[in-house]
């Protein structure tokens, strides 16, 4: 419905201490529930019951797939889970995760957030040797390579270390073998992955909000290139030795992550508010009210209001009960669908000069509809301010920033874009301000390739791009 970007996945895992009464499947369900914003297309949980790994996964939200009875049936001493949003191909259950494979030394479950940039060549290499795949996602390729490496490796962690030397790209992942729970992050650290503790039990989660949700304590982020192994209630860290410049996805701070999460030592809500402050300094305008597009535009709008002295107010009300399956077959219905999801609060904006803050513009279609709705509700002027730099390039690291052709900022100047969406003025946050907020204030070196075109690692070769090209989804 809204031409917003989508994060592909969230992961959660827990290893119960021996002889404990904890229910790993239930804790994983709870953790995943707070990561549902990272993927709403499919979900799954795999449990390890004394070395036997079983898995339940399906298309749909967690509440569609799991209930009290199904969770109660999933007994075990460890679990990993996954929520997924797919950006290529049709959503199907084969692509749902965790993926569970059986090999000659046991079995293995894997849940992955990210995208490999060399998945095409790895898959081709494996297929040319007779390998077969059940899905079209790159997680199965990682599983295949780990299993290949396990033949010669002494342990599953050594097999994964060897696999890390072959895979390139973004991966924050969890592996569960009959005796171990393993978490790992790619050498660039594109995607978040946190370590926490719930009483005596270790937990891993894409975001700290999931650790909070289960009542756990955040310990630290998994380091880029680090492998962490939990075995017999003991935790070991392995340095893969693979070095790269840290390139955490800046868009996690702008939009993807939940505001109550803390990533790389930076509170997401704080970062968004700071972006709003910078935006006010860089692109101030005379106005009567600052409003934010819910949800991720709200913190930046509050920061903009604090910095500019223009009062903050609620200008758009979001309907939180529209599911992804809501289908809009015609243009007219799509128009109405935006109004169904975001409705202007006329009492607050009628006759006023409005600064509207949103986190990003992808194609511009939703922005145009919101601006039009605000005008109908009586706004006198609408000045759009975006708390990120303009999207100019596709992403290959686990989000669906589409081909440049589909990006309005790639094809139009800022003034042209303002005219297209019907705003009186438009301004974006500068790259320098983004880097100030995250790298200087927060000391977090980031990837900003979708804004700058400076890819931290080479994107897939041209011939393979079609495999990874991102398509925008209209929920
Ligand atoms: S290209 Fe953009 S969306 Fe992709 S990892 Fe980098 S900052 Fe994040």
């Amino acid at each position: 419905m809204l031409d917003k970007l989508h994060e592909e996945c969230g992961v959660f895992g827990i290893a119960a201490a021996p002889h404990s009464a904890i229910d790993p499947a239930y804790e994983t369900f709870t953790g995943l529930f707070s990561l549902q914003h990272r993927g709403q297309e499919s979900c799954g949980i795999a449990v390890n019951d004394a070395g036997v790994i079983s898995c339940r996964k399906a298309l749909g939200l967690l509440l569609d797939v799991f209930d009290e009875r199904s969770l109660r049936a999933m007994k075990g001493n460890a679990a990993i889970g996954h929520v997924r949003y797919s950006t290529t191909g049709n959503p199907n259950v084969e692509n749902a995760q965790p993926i569970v494979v059986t090999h000659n030394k046991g079995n293995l479950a894997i849940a992955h957030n990210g995208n490999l940039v060399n998945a095409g060549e790895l898959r081709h290499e494996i297929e040319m040797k007779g390998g077969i795949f059940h899905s079209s996602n790159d997680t199965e390729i990682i599983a295949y390579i780990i299993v290949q490496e396990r033949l010669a490796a002494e342990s599953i962690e050594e097999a994964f270390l060897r696999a890390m030397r072959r895979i390139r790209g973004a991966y924050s992942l969890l592996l569960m073998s009959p005796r171990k729970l393993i978490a790992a992050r790619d050498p660039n650290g594109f995607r978040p992955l946190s370590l926490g503790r719930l009483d005596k039990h270790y937990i891993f989660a894409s975001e700290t909000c999931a650790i909070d949700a289960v009542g756990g304590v955040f310990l630290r982020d998994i380091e880029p290139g680090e492998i962490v192994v939990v075995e017999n209630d003991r935790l070991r860290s392995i340095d893969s030795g693979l070095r790269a410049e840290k390139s955490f996805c800046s868009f996690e701070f702008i939009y993807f992550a939940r505001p109550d999460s803390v990533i790389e030592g930076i509170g997401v809500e704080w970062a968004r508010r700071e972006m709003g402050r910078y935006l006010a300094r860089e692109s101030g305008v005379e106005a009567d009210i600052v409003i934010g597009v819910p949800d991720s535009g709200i913190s930046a709008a509050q920061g903009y209001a604090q910095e500019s002295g223009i009062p903050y107010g609620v200008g758009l009300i979001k309907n939180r009960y529209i599911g992804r399956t809501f289908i809009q077959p015609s243009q007219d219905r799509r128009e109405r669908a935006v109004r169904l999801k975001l409705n202007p609060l006329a009492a607050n904006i009628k006759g006023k000069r409005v600064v509207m803050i949103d986190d990003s513009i992808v194609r511009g279609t939703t922005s145009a509809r919101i601006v039009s709705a605000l005008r109908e509700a009586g706004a006198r002027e609408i000045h759009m301010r975006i708390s990120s730099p303009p999207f100019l390039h596709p992403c290959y690291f686990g989000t669906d920033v589409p081909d440049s052709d589909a990006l309005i900022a790639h094809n139009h100047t800022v003034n042209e874009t303002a005219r297209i969406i019907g705003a009186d003025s438009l301004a974006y946050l500068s790259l320098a301000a983004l880097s100030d907020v995250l790298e200087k204030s927060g000391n977090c070196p980031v990837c900003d390739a979708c804004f700058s075109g400076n890819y931290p690692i080479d994107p897939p070769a041209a011939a393979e791009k079609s495999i990874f090209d991102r398509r925008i989804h209209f929920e």
Side-chain angles (χ1 to χ4, degrees):
M1 182 198 303
L2 304 180
D3 67 335
K4 285 289 186 191
L5 299 182
H6 295 87
E7 174 63 77
E8 280 201 59
C9 305
V11 297
F12 185 93
I14 181 164
H19 316 298
S20 74
I22 200 168
D23 183 344
Y26 182 78
E27 301 299 343
T28 301
F29 172 83
T30 307
L32 287 180
F33 201 75
S34 63
L35 297 174
Q36 188 81 81
H37 61 287
R38 299 183 72 88
Q40 300 103 45
E41 207 164 78
S42 65
C43 58
I45 295 174
V47 286
N48 177 2
D49 189 9
V52 178
I53 294 177
S54 60
C55 181
R56 178 185 178 90
K57 57 184 178 178
L59 296 178
L61 300 169
L62 281 148
L63 284 177
D64 301 327
V65 176
F66 295 96
D67 58 19
E68 215 35 67
R69 202 163 60 126
S70 56
L71 286 170
R72 226 180 298 126
M74 299 183 78
K75 294 281 172 239
N77 48 299
I80 63 171
H82 190 268
V83 288
R84 177 170 196 268
Y85 171 79
S86 74
T87 51
T88 52
N90 289 325
N92 57 45
V93 76
E94 285 76 22
N95 281 330
Q97 297 187 36
I99 286 177
V100 179
V101 292
T102 302
H103 55 101
N104 77 336
K105 292 188 179 171
N107 50 12
L108 179 70
I110 178 167
H112 165 218
N113 174 209
N115 257 121
L116 301 186
V117 293
N118 64 340
E121 58 198 68
L122 289 171
R123 187 173 174 129
H124 181 70
E125 184 189 307
I126 293 165
E127 284 175 340
M128 292 310 283
K129 289 180 184 159
I132 55 167
F133 291 91
H134 294 96
S135 71
S136 58
N137 70 40
D138 46 9
T139 312
E140 194 177 2
I141 298 169
I142 300 175
Y144 206 109
I145 292 174
I146 295 170
V147 168
Q148 276 183 338
E149 297 292 348
R150 183 71 182 91
L151 291 172
E154 293 210 336
S155 64
I156 191 68
E157 57 270 34
E158 190 195 324
F160 181 67
L161 184 55
R162 289 171 179 228
M164 278 178 90
R165 296 183 189 125
R166 292 172 60 187
I167 59 179
R168 279 191 300 113
Y171 52 90
S172 279
L173 55 78
L174 300 179
L175 298 173
M176 188 169 65
S177 74
R179 288 190 297 123
K180 296 169 191 166
L181 180 62
I182 298 170
R185 211 168 158 209
D186 67 72
N188 292 82
F190 282 104
R191 300 278 146 226
L193 190 58
S194 305
L195 167 67
R197 207 162 165 134
L198 173 62
D199 301 327
K200 300 169 285 177
H201 324 289
Y202 285 107
I203 45 185
F204 300 100
S206 290
E207 290 183 39
T208 58
C209 65
I211 297 174
D212 297 339
V214 298
V217 177
F218 168 67
L219 297 179
R220 65 176 176 89
D221 294 309
I222 305 299
E223 291 299 319
E226 183 185 12
I227 303 169
V228 175
V229 183
V230 182
E231 182 179 14
N232 290 333
D233 198 25
R234 284 220 289 277
L235 185 132
R236 276 183 290 132
S237 169
I238 300 169
D239 180 357
S240 68
L242 298 169
R243 298 276 172 256
E245 196 171 325
K246 194 175 196 176
S247 333
F248 185 76
C249 171
S250 54
F251 211 65
E252 291 277 354
F253 286 107
I254 295 163
Y255 173 68
F256 290 134
R258 256 177 50 162
D260 52 336
S261 287
V262 177
I263 301 175
E264 303 289 343
I266 303 174
V268 174
E269 206 275 339
W270 174 87
R272 288 183 188 159
R273 208 171 265 259
E274 279 301 292
M275 288 168 199
R277 286 180 180 277
Y278 271 79
L279 198 49
R281 292 204 281 275
E282 290 184 333
S283 315
V285 63
E286 283 195 12
D288 305 309
I289 185 170
V290 181
I291 67 170
V293 178
D295 292 314
S296 46
I298 300 291
S299 302
Q302 288 168 341
Y304 190 103
Q306 283 164 353
E307 189 68 24
S308 65
I310 303 168
Y312 169 80
V314 176
L316 291 159
I317 302 297
K318 181 175 175 180
N319 184 333
R320 299 178 187 282
Y321 305 100
I322 299 177
R324 283 183 49 79
T325 49
F326 191 79
I327 295 165
Q328 311 91 41
S330 67
Q331 177 69 15
D332 172 54
R333 288 201 185 169
R334 277 196 290 273
E335 299 281 345
R336 272 191 281 154
V338 173
R339 291 294 287 271
L340 197 56
K341 185 143 189 174
L342 289 173
N343 198 35
L345 188 56
N348 281 0
I349 57 172
K350 195 168 181 187
K352 291 188 179 159
R353 297 168 299 171
V354 176
V355 177
M356 179 171 77
I357 313 287
D358 203 353
D359 54 79
S360 57
I361 303 181
V362 186
R363 296 181 184 220
T365 47
T366 298
S367 303
R369 289 178 190 136
I370 296 173
V371 168
S372 153
L374 289 174
R375 287 218 191 276
E376 279 175 37
R380 185 148 58 93
E381 291 174 17
I382 300 162
H383 302 278
M384 191 140 182
R385 297 291 179 268
I386 304 301
S387 60
S388 66
F391 278 128
L392 298 171
H393 308 277
C395 173
Y396 300 94
F397 311 125
T399 70
D400 64 347
V401 181
D403 266 354
S404 300
D405 292 350
L407 296 167
I408 192 167
H410 185 262
N411 302 306
H412 299 281
T413 65
V414 175
N415 286 342
E416 283 170 354
T417 305
R419 269 198 300 282
I420 292 167
I421 64 177
D424 293 281
S425 74
L426 168 69
Y428 294 88
L429 187 73
S430 69
L431 258 176
L434 180 66
S435 125
D436 261 12
V437 173
L438 299 177
E439 298 192 17
K440 295 192 184 142
S441 323
N443 195 23
C444 177
V446 290
C447 170
D448 57 16
C450 49
F451 310 122
S452 66
N454 298 325
Y455 290 100
I457 50 179
D458 288 341
E464 293 170 13
K465 274 195 173 177
S466 61
I467 300 169
F468 298 94
D469 278 348
R470 299 293 170 240
R471 280 169 186 79
I472 217 83
H473 283 232
F474 295 88
E475 62 172 353

